[in-house]
Each structure stands twice: as structure tokens, then as C-alpha cells.
Amino acid sequence: MTANARRYAGPIIDSHHHLWDLSLGRHPWIAQASVGALGDIRYLQQDYLIADLLKDMAGQGVTGSVHVEALWDRARDPVEETRWLEGLERPGRIAGRYIAHVPLAAGDAEAVLERHLAASPRIAGLRETIRWHPDPAKRWTDSGILSNPLWRRNLGLLRRHGLVLELLMNPYQARELAELAAAHPDQMFIVNHCGSPLDRDEAGLQRWRDGLRAMAAQPNIAIKLSNASAYAPSAAVADLRQVILPIIEAFGPGRALFGTDYPVARRTITYAAICDSLREILLPFSEAEQRAIFHDNAARLYGFSGQDQ
């Protein structure tokens, strides 16, 4: 970090957003009034398509973005989502890369991945949800997903194709992920949503900070600064700083990525406020460090072309 005091005005890659068309009936989770740790999600019960994304992004300098699988109905073929995305018109590199879903603990994981890759050249990685918590109200999955032998064997498929693995997780999985990353040094892992520090008591925050350090010790783990306002007392810059800065202190500017988690983050903050708040928080960092977080890290990790530089 160096004294800079210049607000970032360069290009941005949003490393995390979603799209959905509810008329397709492929997102049953959105039809619920409330979902676990997310709480009341009725504000999400409307389509969110390219035009809506562009409206939110307007004026922020976003030159590219990454679409992350939006929990497409797990009873359906996950390749449907990739094919649907391919049918959407979009400018430039908006939704230019996809993070898809493949059930890595299933026997047909390789076949599903191959069909994803055949359906689109934009596939940059997969996402796995491992959100176990001792409180059943905050628990999305069972524990032990990362230690499943078939899951671990299928993890090798990603390295074969140069894909990243994203994790939607809680701090309780941080050390387990660090151990997995150490065992697979050639695989890149990307943690979603600040590592989800949803337990806001001091013990919970200490668990989160310890987890950040454990994960950051592995050079093949990066983290998204996405939806930070979900884990802050408010969307005020001072409160967001308490979430953002410990992450950058642990991972450094070279492994922290800008992301919004829109439209999910709309509950607490506007798209423009996400961008402006991070510009304010990053004022003490050098121009190169700010650009790394806002753009260059995502360009490198997701394989955006030189045209996005």
C-alpha cells in the first residue's frame, strides 16, 4: 500500500453477477419468500436480464463481467443454463465468462463438463456450494463435501481444462479449503462473497479473520470482495471498510477481486454505491493496486483477452 489519494477511474470487470428469466421456471429457490441465511428474498422475484444489468452498470466503466451460476434447478440438466446464456445478446465482454455448475460428486461429472465446454467457449470455471454451519438455520449443505473421494477425483477435471473452482462457503470451511489447496497447488480456487462472515459476534469475526489468513497462506486461493454489505452493520463506507480491508490485508491486492453479486446485493446497496464505496476504500492504495483489484486480477484469472485491458 502506498499513499495515493486518487480515486480509481479505470476499467472494471465485475467478477460476480447473476442473470435469470423467471418465466423459464428454472430458479425455484427465488419463488420462496425466504431462504436460510439470505432471509426474505421477495425483492429478487423479478427477471434480471442483460438490459437490467447494463442499466445498473451504467456510468461505472465496466468493460467485462463474469456470470456465476444462479442455482439453476438442480433437478434439471445444468448445461441448460449455459445454452440459455449463449442465446442472450450482450455488448462487448459483458457476461463474457461463465462460472457453471457441475455436480462433481456425481459419476457423470466429466460428461456434464464436456457438454458445458461444447456449448460455450466462455466457460471459465465451476462453482461448488459448501455452506455448512453448526446452526441449521444458517446451513445450506452437509459437511464433508471437499473430502468426498469421487468429488476429489473429479476436481482434476478442472485442471485438465484450465478452469478455476469457485466456492460459496462459510468461515467454518476455510481451513478445509486451505488444506485442499495445498494438496492441489496447480488448481486455482476463488472464494465468493468475502468468505461470508455471517456470524457478527466477536468469536464469529475472529473465526473469519483466522480463516482468511489460513486461506491466504495458499497462493492458489483468491477471493472476491462481492456483496460486502451483506456482512457489514450498514452500507456506509466506514462499515464496508471493516469487511474489505481485512481481506486485502490477508490476500494482498494481487488476489482480491471486485465483484457485486448483483442483483442479490440490491437488498442493501446500489450497484453505483458498491463501485463508489470501493473507490473510496482503496484511496490509500497505489493506482496499480487499485487497477489489480478492479480489473487486472479478474482479467488474468478468467482469461479475458487483451482487448479488455
Side-chain angles (χ1 to χ4, degrees):
M1 185 190 303
T2 61
N4 182 51
R6 291 186 60 182
R7 288 173 65 85
Y8 183 73
I12 291 174
I13 293 176
D14 183 347
S15 70
H16 199 111
H17 68 78
H18 307 288
L19 297 168
W20 50 67
D21 180 344
L22 298 185
S23 71
L24 299 175
R26 295 299 191 266
H27 299 88
W29 68 275
I30 300 177
Q32 302 175 66
S34 178
V35 175
L38 288 180
D40 189 332
I41 62 165
R42 285 174 291 184
Y43 74 101
L44 292 177
Q45 293 174 355
Q46 56 188 303
D47 293 346
Y48 195 73
L49 299 169
I50 293 290
D52 304 298
L53 178 66
L54 292 175
K55 182 178 179 180
D56 286 328
M57 288 177 167
Q60 298 306 316
V62 180
T63 63
S65 69
V66 180
H67 178 274
V68 178
E69 60 94 12
L71 302 180
W72 193 271
D73 189 345
R74 295 304 195 229
R76 304 277 185 168
D77 179 1
V79 183
E80 285 184 349
E81 185 174 35
T82 294
R83 293 181 181 134
W84 173 71
L85 290 167
E86 283 297 285
L88 301 178
E89 293 186 10
R90 83 293 302 275
R93 299 298 190 271
I94 300 303
R97 297 291 182 271
Y98 307 154
I99 300 300
H101 172 67
V102 170
L104 289 178
D108 64 346
E110 182 171 8
V112 174
L113 176 57
E114 293 293 347
R115 290 193 295 111
H116 271 300
L117 295 171
S120 174
R122 295 183 174 93
I123 301 293
L126 305 180
R127 181 165 78 154
E128 184 71 78
T129 299
I130 55 170
R131 292 193 73 168
W132 180 85
H133 192 284
D135 181 351
K138 300 177 180 179
R139 183 184 305 162
W140 285 22
T141 69
D142 293 332
S143 62
I145 292 173
L146 300 187
S147 59
N148 179 300
L150 181 57
W151 189 96
R152 287 214 170 197
R153 188 156 60 248
N154 284 330
L155 177 63
L157 298 172
L158 281 81
R159 188 169 59 254
R160 183 189 309 170
H161 294 285
L163 303 176
V164 303
L165 180 66
E166 303 213 356
L167 285 308
L168 180 57
M169 56 178 285
N170 289 327
Y172 283 96
Q173 290 81 59
R175 293 191 181 280
E176 186 179 12
L177 175 57
E179 293 169 0
L180 179 70
H184 298 270
D186 296 329
Q187 175 62 53
M188 193 69 204
F189 300 88
I190 303 178
V191 175
N192 290 180
H193 309 334
C194 305
S196 303
L198 71 167
D199 294 321
R200 305 304 298 167
D201 60 340
E202 185 49 43
L205 290 172
Q206 189 61 52
R207 183 184 308 111
W208 171 64
R209 289 189 290 263
D210 290 345
L212 291 177
R213 287 189 287 270
M215 294 187 294
Q218 302 304 320
N220 54 328
I221 301 180
I223 190 168
K224 296 181 182 182
L225 306 175
S226 48
N227 207 353
S229 60
Y231 307 107
S234 79
V237 171
D239 286 333
L240 294 176
R241 188 177 282 116
Q242 296 176 31
V243 178
I244 297 295
L245 289 184
I247 297 170
I248 300 176
E249 288 172 6
F251 283 85
R255 287 187 287 147
L257 292 76
F258 171 80
T260 63
D261 194 24
Y262 242 65
V264 178
R266 177 180 283 155
R267 180 203 302 277
T268 54
I269 193 168
T270 67
Y271 198 104
I274 294 173
C275 299
D276 288 340
S277 296
L278 189 57
R279 289 183 179 108
E280 181 74 17
I281 291 167
L282 295 183
L283 277 175
F285 292 80
S286 72
E287 290 184 49
E289 290 169 332
Q290 292 185 40
R291 181 176 169 118
I293 292 169
F294 270 110
H295 179 276
D296 292 354
N297 296 337
R300 180 183 74 255
L301 291 170
Y302 295 110
F304 281 89
S305 72
Q307 297 177 48
D308 301 295
Q309 304 300 313

